[in-house]
Amino acid sequence: MISHIQAKTHHARRGSLKNAFTYGVDFVLTDLSEKDTPWLLSRNRWNLWSIWDRRHGGPRDDGRGVAWFREVLEERGFDPEGAELLLLTQPSFLWFHFNPVSFWVALVDGTPRAFVAEVNSTFGQRHCYVCAHEDFRPIDAKDRLTARKLMHVSPFQKIEGQYHFNFGLTDDAVNIRIDYRNGDQGVLATLAGKRKKATSGSLLWAAVRRPLGAARVVALIHWQAAILYLKRAPFLKKQPPAEQLVSDGGALNK
């Protein structure tokens, strides 16, 4: 079953200069098998909403989809046979695609064992953070997994510090928390929503309620950037990309 998550995302900046916002976003959770796909959602072909393998799993716009995720897992000692490999992402809307973060997820018996945060910046860069316990035991929503920040995402934040992930995924809901910390500075970002079957009706309603899909997300990102600029937040120009596409995180505590 392809799930449609009509979610809320919240961002709050830490430090002396505060800024916070909340807005609605539409994600789908799919194994990319195209089973039970609503007619308004397609894989590797144009539609109102679409998911393209080349946009996920590997270098930006040169991805290999779930085959890449399978290789990432195997390289780290996780056997993907018998696991359910899923992609949680904002699909492209008509011709436009941009997704600040997608998540590849490996489930065993319905519980997450590993995930990859596929982070994209408006600078055209991508970095993938692999997170799992050393023994690939189930990841509980209370487990805190950490990864060192290696990519320039916001022009108002340095490439320093760490991400702390809490990843909650059940049959009913998605609840993800990303806590970026760099000393007394940082950003808290959350993604939360109920998990329901994707239908053409729900996808059509999403297009009406939150028009333009990813283009709307980009517009909101630049709007918040303008607010921070007017608040005189220090502005950094585009920084060089990380040397590698993929890095590994792990458990911090429980």
Side-chain angles (χ1 to χ4, degrees):
M1 180 187 82
I2 300 177
S3 298
H4 179 189
I5 298 94
Q6 299 184 51
K8 292 284 188 181
T9 183
H10 175 74
H11 289 237
R13 180 187 171 99
R14 288 193 175 95
S16 57
L17 196 158
K18 301 289 193 299
N19 189 56
F21 60 91
T22 301
Y23 57 81
V25 289
D26 290 276
F27 276 71
V28 294
L29 181 67
T30 173
D31 64 2
L32 299 174
S33 67
E34 300 183 88
K35 296 178 181 177
D36 301 320
T37 303
W39 64 272
L40 287 181
L41 174 67
S42 297
R43 179 186 176 196
N44 294 329
R45 61 185 178 87
W46 189 89
N47 202 335
L48 183 67
W49 301 95
S50 54
I51 299 172
W52 302 84
D53 285 11
R54 65 184 175 84
R55 298 194 185 278
H56 301 282
R60 195 159 166 173
D61 293 324
D62 192 25
R64 295 186 293 111
V66 71
W68 172 89
F69 183 40
R70 186 180 297 272
E71 289 179 7
V72 167
L73 295 172
E74 291 174 338
E75 289 170 358
R76 286 154 180 79
F78 180 87
D79 184 0
E81 293 303 321
E84 189 177 8
L85 306 183
L86 305 176
L87 176 64
L88 176 66
T89 189
Q90 295 181 70
S92 301
F93 182 78
L94 295 175
W95 69 93
F96 195 89
H97 176 86
F98 178 72
N99 200 340
V101 60
S102 297
F103 294 92
W104 290 100
V105 192
L107 301 180
V108 177
D109 298 327
T111 60
R113 300 300 181 95
F115 67 89
V116 177
E118 187 179 78
V119 182
N120 301 289
S121 76
T122 53
F123 297 111
Q125 298 177 2
R126 167 176 290 175
H127 191 78
C128 301
Y129 300 91
V130 182
C131 294
H133 295 295
E134 288 186 3
D135 58 358
F136 293 105
R137 67 182 181 271
I139 299 172
D140 187 86
K142 295 180 181 178
D143 292 347
R144 200 175 183 196
L145 301 171
T146 184
R148 185 164 66 95
K149 181 179 180 181
L150 293 175
M151 187 184 77
H152 190 205
V153 178
S154 166
F156 304 101
Q157 299 287 349
K158 297 179 180 179
I159 311 177
E160 298 175 355
Q162 290 184 324
Y163 291 113
H164 303 284
F165 296 94
N166 291 91
F167 192 87
L169 176 63
T170 67
D171 291 340
D172 302 317
V174 170
N175 198 331
I176 299 171
R177 175 187 172 100
I178 306 174
D179 187 359
Y180 166 61
R181 297 189 180 188
N182 181 22
D184 62 351
Q185 304 295 312
V187 176
L188 174 65
T190 63
L191 176 71
K194 293 183 179 180
R195 182 179 169 183
K196 297 182 178 180
K197 182 178 180 179
T199 66
S200 289
S202 71
L203 294 169
L204 182 60
W205 171 240
V208 173
R209 185 179 182 185
R210 289 177 285 275
L212 303 181
R216 171 180 166 273
V217 171
V218 171
L220 289 168
I221 289 172
H222 284 91
W223 172 249
Q224 294 300 325
I227 291 173
L228 286 172
Y229 185 80
L230 292 173
K231 288 183 177 181
R232 300 178 181 268
F235 186 91
L236 299 173
K237 294 181 180 180
K238 180 179 178 179
Q239 303 296 300
E243 293 182 1
Q244 71 272 28
L245 175 67
V246 181
S247 62
D248 291 271
L252 181 65
N253 56 37
K254 190 170 182 176

